[in-house]
mmCIF file of all heavy atoms in Angstrom:
data_model
loop_
_atom_site.group_PDB
_atom_site.id
_atom_site.type_symbol
_atom_site.label_atom_id
_atom_site.label_comp_id
_atom_site.label_asym_id
_atom_site.label_seq_id
_atom_site.Cartn_x
_atom_site.Cartn_y
_atom_site.Cartn_z
ATOM 1 N N ASN A 9 54.728 274.917 71.737
ATOM 2 C CA ASN A 9 54.726 275.195 73.176
ATOM 3 C C ASN A 9 55.843 274.392 73.830
ATOM 4 O O ASN A 9 55.746 273.170 73.964
ATOM 5 C CB ASN A 9 53.376 274.822 73.784
ATOM 6 C CG ASN A 9 53.302 275.141 75.274
ATOM 7 O OD1 ASN A 9 54.270 275.615 75.869
ATOM 8 N ND2 ASN A 9 52.158 274.878 75.882
ATOM 9 N N LEU A 10 56.917 275.095 74.228
ATOM 10 C CA LEU A 10 58.075 274.440 74.849
ATOM 11 C C LEU A 10 58.266 274.915 76.291
ATOM 12 O O LEU A 10 59.361 274.805 76.840
ATOM 13 C CB LEU A 10 59.327 274.743 74.028
ATOM 14 C CG LEU A 10 59.429 274.015 72.680
ATOM 15 C CD1 LEU A 10 60.267 274.810 71.691
ATOM 16 C CD2 LEU A 10 60.027 272.629 72.874
ATOM 17 N N THR A 11 57.215 275.415 76.901
ATOM 18 C CA THR A 11 57.344 275.930 78.258
ATOM 19 C C THR A 11 57.839 274.832 79.207
ATOM 20 O O THR A 11 57.301 273.729 79.237
ATOM 21 C CB THR A 11 56.000 276.474 78.790
ATOM 22 O OG1 THR A 11 54.997 275.460 78.669
ATOM 23 C CG2 THR A 11 55.566 277.697 78.010
ATOM 24 N N GLY A 12 58.889 275.174 79.942
ATOM 25 C CA GLY A 12 59.418 274.239 80.927
ATOM 26 C C GLY A 12 60.152 273.049 80.353
ATOM 27 O O GLY A 12 60.550 272.145 81.085
ATOM 28 N N ALA A 13 60.362 273.006 79.036
ATOM 29 C CA ALA A 13 61.076 271.880 78.420
ATOM 30 C C ALA A 13 62.580 272.000 78.684
ATOM 31 O O ALA A 13 63.092 273.086 78.957
ATOM 32 C CB ALA A 13 60.812 271.848 76.921
ATOM 33 N N ASN A 14 63.271 270.882 78.594
ATOM 34 C CA ASN A 14 64.717 270.859 78.817
ATOM 35 C C ASN A 14 65.420 270.464 77.521
ATOM 36 O O ASN A 14 65.339 269.323 77.076
ATOM 37 C CB ASN A 14 65.069 269.874 79.931
ATOM 38 C CG ASN A 14 66.528 269.949 80.344
ATOM 39 O OD1 ASN A 14 67.351 270.573 79.674
ATOM 40 N ND2 ASN A 14 66.868 269.321 81.459
ATOM 41 N N LEU A 15 66.104 271.447 76.916
ATOM 42 C CA LEU A 15 66.843 271.202 75.675
ATOM 43 C C LEU A 15 68.345 271.371 75.883
ATOM 44 O O LEU A 15 69.084 271.707 74.964
ATOM 45 C CB LEU A 15 66.369 272.146 74.566
ATOM 46 C CG LEU A 15 64.981 271.871 73.979
ATOM 47 C CD1 LEU A 15 63.928 272.667 74.729
ATOM 48 C CD2 LEU A 15 64.922 272.219 72.503
ATOM 49 N N THR A 16 68.798 271.128 77.080
ATOM 50 C CA THR A 16 70.220 271.286 77.385
ATOM 51 C C THR A 16 71.087 270.504 76.402
ATOM 52 O O THR A 16 70.862 269.321 76.161
ATOM 53 C CB THR A 16 70.507 270.808 78.825
ATOM 54 O OG1 THR A 16 69.774 271.635 79.737
ATOM 55 C CG2 THR A 16 71.989 270.909 79.144
ATOM 56 N N ARG A 17 72.052 271.202 75.816
ATOM 57 C CA ARG A 17 73.014 270.644 74.857
ATOM 58 C C ARG A 17 72.375 270.021 73.611
ATOM 59 O O ARG A 17 72.967 269.178 72.938
ATOM 60 C CB ARG A 17 73.952 269.641 75.540
ATOM 61 C CG ARG A 17 74.835 270.276 76.609
ATOM 62 C CD ARG A 17 75.921 269.352 77.093
ATOM 63 N NE ARG A 17 76.765 269.997 78.099
ATOM 64 C CZ ARG A 17 77.744 270.864 77.854
ATOM 65 N NH1 ARG A 17 78.033 271.178 76.604
ATOM 66 N NH2 ARG A 17 78.445 271.403 78.821
ATOM 67 N N ALA A 18 71.158 270.428 73.314
ATOM 68 C CA ALA A 18 70.539 269.990 72.054
ATOM 69 C C ALA A 18 71.165 270.760 70.897
ATOM 70 O O ALA A 18 71.765 271.823 71.077
ATOM 71 C CB ALA A 18 69.033 270.232 72.096
ATOM 72 N N SER A 19 71.043 270.225 69.693
ATOM 73 C CA SER A 19 71.537 270.904 68.497
ATOM 74 C C SER A 19 70.347 271.439 67.705
ATOM 75 O O SER A 19 69.473 270.673 67.296
ATOM 76 C CB SER A 19 72.368 269.948 67.630
ATOM 77 O OG SER A 19 72.923 270.636 66.527
ATOM 78 N N LEU A 20 70.319 272.765 67.521
ATOM 79 C CA LEU A 20 69.209 273.419 66.835
ATOM 80 C C LEU A 20 69.720 274.323 65.716
ATOM 81 O O LEU A 20 69.200 275.403 65.474
ATOM 82 C CB LEU A 20 68.391 274.242 67.832
ATOM 83 C CG LEU A 20 67.589 273.427 68.849
ATOM 84 C CD1 LEU A 20 67.792 273.952 70.254
ATOM 85 C CD2 LEU A 20 66.114 273.459 68.495
ATOM 86 N N GLN A 21 70.730 273.865 65.000
ATOM 87 C CA GLN A 21 71.291 274.677 63.945
ATOM 88 C C GLN A 21 70.281 274.890 62.818
ATOM 89 O O GLN A 21 69.706 273.935 62.295
ATOM 90 C CB GLN A 21 72.562 274.021 63.397
ATOM 91 C CG GLN A 21 73.668 273.929 64.447
ATOM 92 C CD GLN A 21 74.953 273.367 63.877
ATOM 93 O OE1 GLN A 21 75.779 274.117 63.376
ATOM 94 N NE2 GLN A 21 75.114 272.053 63.959
ATOM 95 N N GLN A 22 70.033 276.156 62.506
ATOM 96 C CA GLN A 22 69.091 276.554 61.463
ATOM 97 C C GLN A 22 67.668 276.054 61.720
ATOM 98 O O GLN A 22 66.853 275.965 60.796
ATOM 99 C CB GLN A 22 69.568 276.087 60.085
ATOM 100 C CG GLN A 22 70.856 276.766 59.635
ATOM 101 C CD GLN A 22 71.269 276.346 58.238
ATOM 102 O OE1 GLN A 22 71.835 275.279 58.048
ATOM 103 N NE2 GLN A 22 70.982 277.177 57.252
ATOM 104 N N ALA A 23 67.374 275.758 62.966
ATOM 105 C CA ALA A 23 66.002 275.390 63.328
ATOM 106 C C ALA A 23 65.131 276.644 63.368
ATOM 107 O O ALA A 23 65.629 277.748 63.578
ATOM 108 C CB ALA A 23 65.979 274.687 64.678
ATOM 109 N N SER A 24 63.839 276.480 63.167
ATOM 110 C CA SER A 24 62.918 277.603 63.175
ATOM 111 C C SER A 24 61.960 277.500 64.362
ATOM 112 O O SER A 24 61.203 276.531 64.476
ATOM 113 C CB SER A 24 62.119 277.654 61.868
ATOM 114 O OG SER A 24 61.220 278.750 61.878
ATOM 115 N N LEU A 25 62.023 278.520 65.248
ATOM 116 C CA LEU A 25 61.153 278.568 66.419
ATOM 117 C C LEU A 25 60.375 279.880 66.433
ATOM 118 O O LEU A 25 60.111 280.459 67.478
ATOM 119 C CB LEU A 25 61.959 278.422 67.707
ATOM 120 C CG LEU A 25 62.562 277.051 68.011
ATOM 121 C CD1 LEU A 25 63.943 276.909 67.365
ATOM 122 C CD2 LEU A 25 62.688 276.828 69.516
ATOM 123 N N ARG A 26 59.993 280.338 65.273
ATOM 124 C CA ARG A 26 59.276 281.606 65.187
ATOM 125 C C ARG A 26 57.970 281.540 65.963
ATOM 126 O O ARG A 26 57.159 280.645 65.760
ATOM 127 C CB ARG A 26 59.005 281.953 63.724
ATOM 128 C CG ARG A 26 60.259 282.282 62.917
ATOM 129 C CD ARG A 26 59.910 282.535 61.448
ATOM 130 N NE ARG A 26 61.058 282.969 60.666
ATOM 131 C CZ ARG A 26 61.904 282.142 60.042
ATOM 132 N NH1 ARG A 26 61.717 280.824 60.135
ATOM 133 N NH2 ARG A 26 62.911 282.614 59.342
ATOM 134 N N GLY A 27 57.798 282.503 66.873
ATOM 135 C CA GLY A 27 56.572 282.571 67.656
ATOM 136 C C GLY A 27 56.399 281.466 68.682
ATOM 137 O O GLY A 27 55.333 281.330 69.293
ATOM 138 N N ALA A 28 57.437 280.674 68.917
ATOM 139 C CA ALA A 28 57.344 279.574 69.891
ATOM 140 C C ALA A 28 57.321 280.115 71.312
ATOM 141 O O ALA A 28 57.840 281.191 71.602
ATOM 142 C CB ALA A 28 58.525 278.621 69.717
ATOM 143 N N ASN A 29 56.716 279.353 72.224
ATOM 144 C CA ASN A 29 56.698 279.717 73.640
ATOM 145 C C ASN A 29 57.837 278.981 74.335
ATOM 146 O O ASN A 29 57.785 277.763 74.516
ATOM 147 C CB ASN A 29 55.356 279.338 74.272
ATOM 148 C CG ASN A 29 55.195 279.960 75.657
ATOM 149 O OD1 ASN A 29 56.168 280.332 76.308
ATOM 150 N ND2 ASN A 29 53.959 280.085 76.107
ATOM 151 N N LEU A 30 58.872 279.740 74.705
ATOM 152 C CA LEU A 30 60.058 279.178 75.339
ATOM 153 C C LEU A 30 60.171 279.591 76.811
ATOM 154 O O LEU A 30 61.248 279.488 77.403
ATOM 155 C CB LEU A 30 61.315 279.656 74.593
ATOM 156 C CG LEU A 30 61.357 279.427 73.079
ATOM 157 C CD1 LEU A 30 62.573 280.114 72.470
ATOM 158 C CD2 LEU A 30 61.380 277.939 72.776
ATOM 159 N N SER A 31 59.095 280.041 77.385
ATOM 160 C CA SER A 31 59.143 280.534 78.765
ATOM 161 C C SER A 31 59.593 279.448 79.734
ATOM 162 O O SER A 31 59.110 278.312 79.688
ATOM 163 C CB SER A 31 57.762 281.055 79.177
ATOM 164 O OG SER A 31 57.387 282.140 78.356
ATOM 165 N N ASN A 32 60.559 279.820 80.579
ATOM 166 C CA ASN A 32 61.098 278.903 81.599
ATOM 167 C C ASN A 32 61.692 277.627 80.999
ATOM 168 O O ASN A 32 61.754 276.585 81.648
ATOM 169 C CB ASN A 32 60.011 278.537 82.624
ATOM 170 C CG ASN A 32 59.497 279.757 83.357
ATOM 171 O OD1 ASN A 32 60.252 280.472 84.008
ATOM 172 N ND2 ASN A 32 58.197 280.025 83.232
ATOM 173 N N THR A 33 62.136 277.728 79.750
ATOM 174 C CA THR A 33 62.740 276.588 79.065
ATOM 175 C C THR A 33 64.250 276.588 79.263
ATOM 176 O O THR A 33 64.877 277.641 79.313
ATOM 177 C CB THR A 33 62.408 276.646 77.561
ATOM 178 O OG1 THR A 33 60.984 276.623 77.417
ATOM 179 C CG2 THR A 33 63.009 275.479 76.805
ATOM 180 N N LYS A 34 64.850 275.407 79.356
ATOM 181 C CA LYS A 34 66.304 275.288 79.480
ATOM 182 C C LYS A 34 66.901 275.030 78.099
ATOM 183 O O LYS A 34 66.678 273.972 77.501
ATOM 184 C CB LYS A 34 66.682 274.157 80.429
ATOM 185 C CG LYS A 34 66.340 274.426 81.887
ATOM 186 C CD LYS A 34 66.780 273.277 82.783
ATOM 187 C CE LYS A 34 66.437 273.556 84.236
ATOM 188 N NZ LYS A 34 66.838 272.420 85.113
ATOM 189 N N LEU A 35 67.658 276.010 77.611
ATOM 190 C CA LEU A 35 68.369 275.876 76.348
ATOM 191 C C LEU A 35 69.863 276.054 76.626
ATOM 192 O O LEU A 35 70.590 276.678 75.865
ATOM 193 C CB LEU A 35 67.859 276.913 75.350
ATOM 194 C CG LEU A 35 66.435 276.632 74.842
ATOM 195 C CD1 LEU A 35 65.665 277.910 74.601
ATOM 196 C CD2 LEU A 35 66.478 275.817 73.558
ATOM 197 N N ILE A 36 70.302 275.455 77.713
ATOM 198 C CA ILE A 36 71.671 275.607 78.191
ATOM 199 C C ILE A 36 72.654 274.938 77.225
ATOM 200 O O ILE A 36 72.485 273.774 76.853
ATOM 201 C CB ILE A 36 71.823 274.998 79.598
ATOM 202 C CG1 ILE A 36 70.860 275.683 80.576
ATOM 203 C CG2 ILE A 36 73.257 275.095 80.099
ATOM 204 C CD1 ILE A 36 70.716 274.950 81.909
ATOM 205 N N ALA A 37 73.666 275.701 76.826
ATOM 206 C CA ALA A 37 74.762 275.180 75.995
ATOM 207 C C ALA A 37 74.279 274.521 74.705
ATOM 208 O O ALA A 37 74.901 273.578 74.208
ATOM 209 C CB ALA A 37 75.625 274.202 76.802
ATOM 210 N N ILE A 38 73.174 274.996 74.145
ATOM 211 C CA ILE A 38 72.721 274.443 72.869
ATOM 212 C C ILE A 38 73.636 274.914 71.725
ATOM 213 O O ILE A 38 74.326 275.923 71.844
ATOM 214 C CB ILE A 38 71.270 274.831 72.541
ATOM 215 C CG1 ILE A 38 71.154 276.353 72.321
ATOM 216 C CG2 ILE A 38 70.306 274.343 73.586
ATOM 217 C CD1 ILE A 38 69.853 276.775 71.660
ATOM 218 N N THR A 39 73.617 274.173 70.640
ATOM 219 C CA THR A 39 74.275 274.602 69.416
ATOM 220 C C THR A 39 73.178 275.174 68.533
ATOM 221 O O THR A 39 72.369 274.424 67.972
ATOM 222 C CB THR A 39 74.976 273.426 68.707
ATOM 223 O OG1 THR A 39 75.932 272.849 69.602
ATOM 224 C CG2 THR A 39 75.702 273.899 67.454
ATOM 225 N N GLY A 40 73.127 276.498 68.452
ATOM 226 C CA GLY A 40 72.009 277.143 67.760
ATOM 227 C C GLY A 40 72.433 278.107 66.674
ATOM 228 O O GLY A 40 71.857 279.195 66.557
ATOM 229 N N TRP A 41 73.438 277.724 65.888
ATOM 230 C CA TRP A 41 73.881 278.590 64.808
ATOM 231 C C TRP A 41 72.718 278.876 63.859
ATOM 232 O O TRP A 41 72.005 277.983 63.422
ATOM 233 C CB TRP A 41 75.022 277.914 64.035
ATOM 234 C CG TRP A 41 75.500 278.715 62.858
ATOM 235 C CD1 TRP A 41 76.356 279.775 62.887
ATOM 236 C CD2 TRP A 41 75.115 278.541 61.497
ATOM 237 N NE1 TRP A 41 76.535 280.274 61.617
ATOM 238 C CE2 TRP A 41 75.784 279.534 60.737
ATOM 239 C CE3 TRP A 41 74.273 277.647 60.834
ATOM 240 C CZ2 TRP A 41 75.635 279.658 59.360
ATOM 241 C CZ3 TRP A 41 74.119 277.765 59.458
ATOM 242 C CH2 TRP A 41 74.804 278.766 58.740
ATOM 243 N N ALA A 42 72.497 280.195 63.597
ATOM 244 C CA ALA A 42 71.450 280.635 62.667
ATOM 245 C C ALA A 42 70.050 280.179 63.084
ATOM 246 O O ALA A 42 69.165 279.996 62.242
ATOM 247 C CB ALA A 42 71.759 280.191 61.237
ATOM 248 N N LEU A 43 69.847 279.997 64.373
ATOM 249 C CA LEU A 43 68.512 279.681 64.897
ATOM 250 C C LEU A 43 67.556 280.830 64.591
ATOM 251 O O LEU A 43 67.902 281.997 64.759
ATOM 252 C CB LEU A 43 68.616 279.479 66.412
ATOM 253 C CG LEU A 43 67.329 279.296 67.214
ATOM 254 C CD1 LEU A 43 66.747 277.920 66.946
ATOM 255 C CD2 LEU A 43 67.603 279.467 68.699
ATOM 256 N N MET A 44 66.341 280.531 64.160
ATOM 257 C CA MET A 44 65.353 281.552 63.834
ATOM 258 C C MET A 44 64.245 281.542 64.887
ATOM 259 O O MET A 44 63.471 280.586 64.956
ATOM 260 C CB MET A 44 64.762 281.294 62.440
ATOM 261 C CG MET A 44 65.784 281.345 61.312
ATOM 262 S SD MET A 44 66.433 283.014 61.079
ATOM 263 C CE MET A 44 67.884 282.670 60.072
ATOM 264 N N ALA A 45 64.205 282.587 65.719
ATOM 265 C CA ALA A 45 63.209 282.625 66.791
ATOM 266 C C ALA A 45 62.547 284.001 66.881
ATOM 267 O O ALA A 45 62.269 284.513 67.963
ATOM 268 C CB ALA A 45 63.866 282.265 68.119
ATOM 269 N N GLN A 46 62.278 284.584 65.724
ATOM 270 C CA GLN A 46 61.628 285.884 65.708
ATOM 271 C C GLN A 46 60.242 285.796 66.364
ATOM 272 O O GLN A 46 59.477 284.884 66.105
ATOM 273 C CB GLN A 46 61.488 286.399 64.270
ATOM 274 C CG GLN A 46 62.807 286.678 63.574
ATOM 275 C CD GLN A 46 63.301 285.521 62.723
ATOM 276 O OE1 GLN A 46 63.112 284.361 63.099
ATOM 277 N NE2 GLN A 46 63.908 285.821 61.592
ATOM 278 N N GLY A 47 59.964 286.764 67.233
ATOM 279 C CA GLY A 47 58.658 286.814 67.876
ATOM 280 C C GLY A 47 58.415 285.738 68.919
ATOM 281 O O GLY A 47 57.289 285.557 69.389
ATOM 282 N N ALA A 48 59.462 285.029 69.306
ATOM 283 C CA ALA A 48 59.295 283.980 70.330
ATOM 284 C C ALA A 48 59.025 284.595 71.700
ATOM 285 O O ALA A 48 59.374 285.745 71.968
ATOM 286 C CB ALA A 48 60.547 283.111 70.383
ATOM 287 N N LYS A 49 58.398 283.794 72.566
ATOM 288 C CA LYS A 49 58.137 284.222 73.938
ATOM 289 C C LYS A 49 59.080 283.426 74.835
ATOM 290 O O LYS A 49 58.921 282.210 74.969
ATOM 291 C CB LYS A 49 56.682 283.964 74.304
ATOM 292 C CG LYS A 49 55.685 284.683 73.400
ATOM 293 C CD LYS A 49 54.257 284.238 73.698
ATOM 294 C CE LYS A 49 53.266 284.926 72.765
ATOM 295 N NZ LYS A 49 53.455 284.511 71.349
#
């Protein structure tokens, strides 16, 4: 559950967020090469 979290400029390369709740989350300018977020909200 990452609702409302702030991940601005975080590095999430090859991270797995399958089925995660990202509603209203800040993922501004992240490094997310090959990020896996299938079925995320």
Side-chain angles (χ1 to χ4, degrees):
N9 182 358
L10 287 153
T11 54
N14 188 348
L15 288 92
T16 298
R17 296 191 179 281
S19 184
L20 291 132
Q21 296 184 89
Q22 294 183 281
S24 180
L25 289 88
R26 292 177 175 89
N29 192 339
L30 307 173
S31 298
N32 299 301
T33 301
K34 291 182 180 179
L35 289 145
I36 301 167
I38 65 165
T39 302
W41 177 80
L43 173 73
M44 298 293 165
Q46 295 95 324
K49 301 172 182 66

